[in-house]
Amino acid sequence: MQTFINLPPQISESAARILSRSDARMLSVHAKELHERYLQGANPLQPHIQKPADCVAYLALRFPATYAQIASALSQIKERIPAWQPKSVLELGCGPGSGIWAAKSIWQSITSAIGVDREQPFLTLAQELHYDSKMALQATWVKSDIVKWVSSEDTTKYDLIIIPNVLNELPEEERAFVIEKVSAKSSGLVVVIEPGTAVGYNIVREVAREVEKTQHLVAPYVDNTFVESETYWIHFSQRFQRPEFQRRIRQSMRDSSLMASDWEDTKYSYVAWGNVPGEKAIWGLCIGRIEKLKGFLTVPVLTREGVTNARVLKRHKAIYNEAKNIRWGDTLEAPIETS
Ligand SMILES: C[S@@+](CC[C@H](N)C(=O)[O-])C[C@H]1O[C@@H](n2cnc3c(N)ncnc32)[C@H](O)[C@@H]1O
């Protein structure tokens, strides 16, 4: 059965209140422009966020999806290190704090958070969401460029560092620099998340390839082993319920009067590395939908040896019945019996 990851109610209600202060027509215009820029992909000469109204449009249009992606990636990671109890989180390029709210929902143990972003209007939104949510979390919002921030001499370490949907907005050399610097600020895990597109996956794969040389890969890779996969993007899918404010903005952007769907599947790629005790040993991770064909089904699996399509024959009833319930993102403790 498909599971949903929705914004926590207090955060969603706060976002709806913030959005109700905006003129609906102008919000729709800004959301359309923002949507167009996202479709075109990141371009340093044409940043996605160009004015304060773009931050509000992001909240209406993108925030529920990026929250779902991040929370989904973090819940996969939690499954791999079930006993870990991080206390602090740092989000680089935090926007409205999407990663911080997601981290707190996955690990209640988190009591302090820092969000870094160069856009003050985003930090102001994050502050208001935090205030309204009454979340038990000490939060600090820092206006800074990420490159400058990671270059600081400050030796404070953070249990969980997340960099969600940001690297694609940085020039390639800055990406490598941020990744190199950030591991030194981690006392636990660093997690990079990007959209589950070819571009996003390539960025994540490049990070994983570099990081594997000096760090311990935790997820999604198996047995801490990087796998070069050109043909199969390693990415995941998460369904979420669109909140009313997002449905309204989607509807206003449509040419058709047909109702915009009340749910969405959002795709993401991610990699996590660091040193956290209690890693669970697994054989594989399902990295796509199972495909049912005549007389058999196939399960795309990432193992330490690479990406494989495990084929299970229908006549092996018990194994087949078990395999048909495997979902995209599931960990597999033992090899699927194929024969
Ligand atoms: C797509 S948003 C992601 C926001 C949030 N992490 C999420 O996933 O919803 C990218 C964010 O990175 C910020 N950003 C991009 N380049 C930056 C830089 N060089 N320094 C600081 N912030 C930056 C933008 O202002 C924006 O808030």
Side-chain angles (χ1 to χ4, degrees):
M1 210 184 56
Q2 186 72 49
T3 54
F4 287 74
I5 292 189
N6 303 326
L7 284 175
Q10 293 90 333
I11 294 283
S12 186
E13 282 156 25
S14 174
R17 253 195 311 276
I18 292 170
L19 291 165
S20 70
R21 301 199 293 254
S22 294
D23 176 87
R25 203 180 57 81
M26 287 316 291
L27 185 59
S28 174
V29 170
H30 293 132
K32 266 189 195 160
E33 289 170 359
L34 186 67
H35 186 63
E36 280 304 312
R37 289 200 288 278
Y38 271 102
L39 288 181
Q40 282 157 18
N43 172 355
L45 300 174
Q46 172 89 298
H48 294 326
I49 302 298
Q50 301 181 354
K51 50 190 179 306
D54 293 337
C55 298
V56 180
Y58 185 92
L59 189 73
L61 187 69
R62 306 274 316 143
F63 173 51
T66 60
Y67 173 87
Q69 292 168 2
I70 305 166
S72 183
L74 297 182
S75 68
Q76 276 198 29
I77 294 167
K78 185 175 183 180
E79 217 187 312
R80 307 283 288 268
I81 37 169
W84 190 46
Q85 297 275 304
K87 300 265 185 309
S88 57
V89 58
L90 160 68
E91 182 177 13
L92 294 177
C94 63
S98 328
I100 290 175
W101 320 133
K104 177 71 180 173
S105 77
I106 301 295
W107 287 287
Q108 288 300 310
S109 55
I110 293 177
T111 51
S112 71
I114 298 200
V116 177
D117 205 287
R118 64 181 172 195
E119 301 292 343
Q120 184 57 47
F122 261 140
L123 300 173
T124 306
L125 288 175
Q127 223 163 358
E128 188 166 347
L129 292 174
H130 179 232
Y131 179 82
D132 282 353
S133 73
K134 307 200 168 42
M135 205 177 274
L137 184 74
Q138 201 221 331
T140 310
W141 308 103
V142 182
K143 182 179 182 313
S144 169
D145 185 88
I146 293 170
V147 174
K148 197 163 156 223
W149 199 87
V150 296
S151 313
S152 87
E153 298 293 311
D154 186 349
T155 53
T156 311
K157 298 212 183 228
Y158 304 88
D159 293 346
L160 174 64
I161 301 180
I162 36 184
I163 315 176
N165 302 305
V166 180
L167 290 187
N168 68 76
E169 297 188 16
L170 302 184
E172 221 171 307
E173 62 284 1
E174 285 189 7
R175 268 181 226 155
F177 180 79
V178 169
I179 295 306
E180 186 199 314
K181 288 281 178 193
V182 88
S183 297
K185 294 193 179 288
S186 161
S187 49
L189 282 192
V190 184
V191 184
V192 164
I193 302 169
E194 283 292 312
T197 58
V199 173
Y201 169 59
N202 279 333
I203 292 175
V204 167
R205 187 177 57 156
E206 183 59 36
V207 169
R209 187 191 291 125
E210 273 313 298
V211 155
E212 201 222 15
K213 295 175 188 161
T214 53
Q215 307 285 330
H216 186 83
L217 288 180
V218 172
Y221 297 98
V222 176
D223 257 355
N224 325 111
T225 309
F226 172 68
V227 161
E228 198 61 77
S229 166
E230 288 282 350
T231 47
Y232 208 107
W233 312 346
I234 300 173
H235 72 296
F236 302 90
S237 179
Q238 180 59 55
R239 186 162 293 185
F240 67 96
Q241 198 81 40
R242 285 176 170 163
E244 180 57 32
F245 63 77
Q246 192 193 22
R247 257 197 317 251
R248 230 176 301 126
I249 198 87
R250 284 269 170 197
Q251 190 64 37
S252 76
M253 290 164 63
R254 283 166 76 93
D255 296 326
S256 145
S257 61
L258 284 176
M259 279 307 284
S261 166
D262 60 0
W263 58 268
E264 191 176 323
D265 284 331
T266 184
K267 309 279 193 318
Y268 63 93
S269 287
Y270 78 96
V271 59
W273 67 92
N275 281 305
V276 171
E279 259 180 83
K280 210 169 99 178
I282 61 167
W283 166 74
L285 181 67
C286 175
I287 54 167
R289 292 206 168 83
I290 60 165
E291 204 176 344
K292 287 185 190 156
L293 296 154
K294 207 171 155 50
F296 67 94
L297 60 74
T298 58
V299 189
V301 188
L302 171 69
T303 71
R304 66 166 292 149
E305 274 77 40
V307 172
T308 172
N309 246 325
R311 193 174 137 114
V312 183
L313 298 180
K314 202 166 187 175
R315 65 186 152 85
H316 296 142
K317 231 173 166 178
I319 306 168
Y320 184 91
N321 284 341
E322 215 173 292
K324 76 178 185 205
N325 292 321
I326 295 172
R327 287 176 315 168
W328 196 348
D330 279 357
T331 53
L332 305 165
E333 286 179 16
I336 297 175
E337 284 181 54
T338 46
S339 71

